[in-house]
Amino acid sequence: DQQVKQNSPSLSVQEGRISILNCDYTNSMFDYFLWYKKYPAEGPTFLISISSIKDKNEDGRFTVFLNKSAKHLSLHIVPSQPGDSAVYFCAASANTNAGKSTFGDGTTLTVKP
Amino acid sequence: NAGVTQTPKFRILKIGQSMTLQCTQDMNHNYMYWYRQDPGMGLKLIYYSVGAGITDKGEVPNGYNVSRSTTEDFPLRLELAAPSQTSVYFCASSSTSGGGQPQHFGDGTRLSIL
């Protein structure tokens, strides 16, 4: 049973437009959610996170929204840039779980010039 | 400014061989993790450590062993390589166990078992 799901394997958007990446989770014990970005042949790098006590966190062009009742979060990138083309992983963790994170399968974002 | 360093970057093994994937971090992080990523999938936790001398199993530990004799190093051992262990392996570290703490990843070891 996959506890973190990213149902869209890929997403293609035009440069300058908004990219919206979605993530669903099933475990109500999760209280932190993180997004990582991964380029080919590199390790994932942390992008942005949100605590379960918040419904929005913003960092520059990146905003994460959390809907606890729906167990759904989304990452908005606006405006999208070609350099944003990468695989984006959603991850969830519980504060009492030794920092262990459960990852989704990732969404490959392609931003076309 | 090395962060998390993994060696080797690539390796081909024959079935039944053994090897150790090396991971070292220079950020003085207590928490370290080993993941594997299969094609088109997310990262699955193999083993983790909350400090020197303490290790525990993750989601997919079978066929692997780890040790943590120092804060810096967290090697992953494959004893009898099997084709199912063909994957990309990532080591990560974090400063605390707080759920919101991001993990810092190495660039991975791509391992093929033939």
Side-chain angles (χ1 to χ4, degrees):
Chain A
D1 178 33
Q2 198 168 8
Q3 297 186 63
V4 177
K5 292 184 181 179
Q6 295 177 254
N7 291 317
S8 297
S10 63
L11 175 68
S12 180
V13 300
Q14 208 66 34
E15 181 179 6
R17 305 295 292 268
I18 186 171
S19 295
I20 301 176
L21 293 87
N22 294 303
C23 179
D24 297 295
Y25 63 96
T26 58
N27 189 343
S28 55
M29 297 299 292
F30 290 142
D31 47 18
Y32 285 96
F33 303 90
L34 305 93
W35 286 93
Y36 291 85
K37 177 179 180 179
K38 184 184 179 304
Y39 292 119
E42 295 183 8
T45 56
F46 170 72
L47 191 57
I48 192 169
S49 65
I50 189 166
S51 162
S52 60
I53 63 173
K54 296 185 175 182
D55 55 17
K56 178 183 174 181
N57 188 26
E58 190 172 354
D59 183 1
R61 296 186 297 113
F62 303 91
T63 303
V64 56
F65 296 92
L66 175 62
N67 183 334
K68 279 188 68 177
S69 60
K71 292 190 173 68
H72 176 83
L73 62 153
S74 60
L75 173 68
H76 292 213
I77 306 173
V78 56
S80 300
Q81 300 174 353
D84 296 330
S85 297
V87 178
Y88 289 79
F89 290 102
C90 172
S93 65
N95 201 27
T96 56
N97 206 17
K100 293 185 292 182
S101 289
T102 301
F103 285 79
D105 288 343
T107 296
T108 300
L109 173 65
T110 303
V111 180
K112 297 180 179 180
Chain B
N1 203 20
V4 178
T5 303
Q6 292 184 238
T7 56
K9 292 189 183 304
F10 304 96
R11 185 73 184 269
I12 298 174
L13 281 183
K14 293 183 179 179
I15 295 171
Q17 286 185 322
S18 62
M19 77 163 293
T20 299
L21 282 66
Q22 302 291 345
C23 175
T24 186
Q25 52 94 5
D26 62 359
M27 297 172 283
N28 201 34
H29 286 170
N30 284 324
Y31 294 82
M32 295 189 75
Y33 312 87
W34 273 106
Y35 295 92
R36 59 177 287 172
Q37 185 192 13
D38 298 329
M41 307 290 285
L43 284 74
K44 303 286 188 215
L45 183 66
I46 305 171
Y47 270 95
Y48 68 100
S49 169
V50 301
I54 306 170
T55 63
D56 207 347
K57 296 178 180 178
E59 186 182 357
V60 289
N62 291 344
Y64 307 95
N65 276 301
V66 293
S67 59
R68 185 92 183 273
S69 56
T70 66
T71 298
E72 294 78 19
D73 300 307
F74 190 39
L76 177 72
R77 179 86 177 160
L78 281 73
E79 290 294 347
L80 289 171
S84 62
Q85 293 177 307
T86 294
S87 190
V88 181
Y89 292 84
F90 290 101
C91 178
S93 71
S94 66
S95 58
T96 72
S97 68
Q101 281 295 321
Q103 295 181 13
H104 301 259
F105 286 83
D107 285 339
T109 294
R110 185 176 298 274
L111 182 62
S112 295
I113 315 295
L114 303 176

